[in-house]
Amino acid sequence: MQLNDFKHIFQSGTGDSTLLLLHGTGADEGDLIPLARQLGWTGHILSLRGRVSEQGMPRFFKRLSFGVFDLEDLALRTQELLDYLPVAAAHYGFDRQQLDSLGYSNGANLIGSALLRAPGCFRKSVLLRPMIPFQPEKPATEAPGEVLLLSGSNDPTVPAGMPEAYAQLLSAYYPGQVRLELLPGGHGLSQADLSMAQGFLLGVSS
Ligand code: MLT
């Protein structure tokens, strides 16, 4: 992978930490930066645009229909992301080991796929309105990494029971390091999401 294989925004911040941002379907690399800044994130930011277009809407991997993922494409796109991160780290001079991630919906699903495929690939991850991206065939290998799942208790895009099953699946890889919060509401974000993401990423509450 080369630096411009992903359209992206890199913003330098203070300290050694970098936050990777992956948007939801139809958004772009500018979408989540205000949210990250609203959280009070002052470190570096690397925000990517999905390389797949669904009728002009950027996504991080293809889907066959609503909520049904193209697993072959997902595997390929996950590997592309994992290959891209060291390229971006070398170019911008950030520490790949101090990389946190935050994704919304489709972007959260690519982060989740990376967490399952390459355990330990991120230090802290916030998955906003995620779905189980795929069911791994290999036994889980334990790795360091903390995960916060923020799900809507009434989210029409996520089947009932999936958030709990996903937290359980991730816990096999990241024992004792996975937290699920089922928040009132649907697929859209609320102030509660922001407060919880902030507390988790920055260790503060608003
Ligand atoms: C997906 O990855 O397809 C999401 O869960 C739903 C969406 O992004 O529209």
Side-chain angles (χ1 to χ4, degrees):
M1 294 294 281
Q2 299 190 339
L3 187 68
N4 290 324
D5 284 346
F6 276 99
K7 288 204 169 68
H8 66 277
I9 296 172
F10 180 80
Q11 291 184 349
S12 282
T14 54
D16 298 323
S17 298
T18 302
L19 183 60
L20 173 72
L21 298 174
L22 301 188
H23 62 78
T25 301
D28 65 20
E29 67 277 22
D31 187 53
L32 292 173
I33 293 178
L35 183 142
R37 294 300 178 202
Q38 208 182 331
L39 295 179
W41 180 266
T42 55
H44 313 304
I45 286 180
L46 175 67
S47 188
L48 307 185
R49 183 189 302 189
R51 281 159 54 81
V52 166
S53 169
E54 186 184 271
Q55 294 168 349
M57 296 186 299
R59 280 180 58 86
F60 286 96
F61 56 89
K62 293 181 193 162
R63 60 182 163 183
L64 303 174
S65 60
F66 195 76
V68 182
F69 302 152
D70 178 333
L71 296 182
E72 210 174 302
D73 190 64
L74 173 60
L76 174 87
R77 303 296 174 185
T78 307
Q79 195 54 51
E80 283 182 354
L81 174 71
L82 292 167
D83 291 345
Y84 183 75
L85 295 174
V87 172
H91 181 85
Y92 291 113
F94 68 81
D95 183 353
R96 168 71 186 86
Q97 303 312 314
Q98 303 202 52
L99 185 59
D100 298 325
S101 68
L102 179 147
Y104 173 62
S105 194
N106 180 244
N109 295 341
L110 190 71
I111 291 173
S113 178
L115 288 170
L116 295 171
R117 199 167 284 277
C121 60
F122 299 119
R123 196 174 54 177
K124 287 186 176 184
S125 300
V126 181
L127 307 186
L128 299 163
R129 306 298 182 271
M131 293 175 69
I132 295 178
F134 70 98
Q135 284 292 347
E137 285 164 15
K138 291 196 221 142
T141 46
E142 293 182 9
E146 289 175 65
V147 188
L148 175 63
L149 303 164
L150 293 176
S151 298
S153 57
N154 206 4
D155 184 344
T157 63
V158 181
M162 187 181 272
E164 293 85 350
Y166 195 10
Q168 202 177 350
L169 173 63
L170 283 166
S171 293
Y173 295 77
Y174 304 94
Q177 301 175 94
V178 178
R179 196 173 115 208
L180 165 67
E181 296 290 345
L182 262 186
L183 302 172
H187 205 60
L189 302 179
S190 66
Q191 188 56 43
D193 289 279
L194 298 186
S195 309
M196 288 189 177
Q198 181 178 51
F200 174 76
L201 278 176
L202 304 176
V204 293
S205 51
S206 55

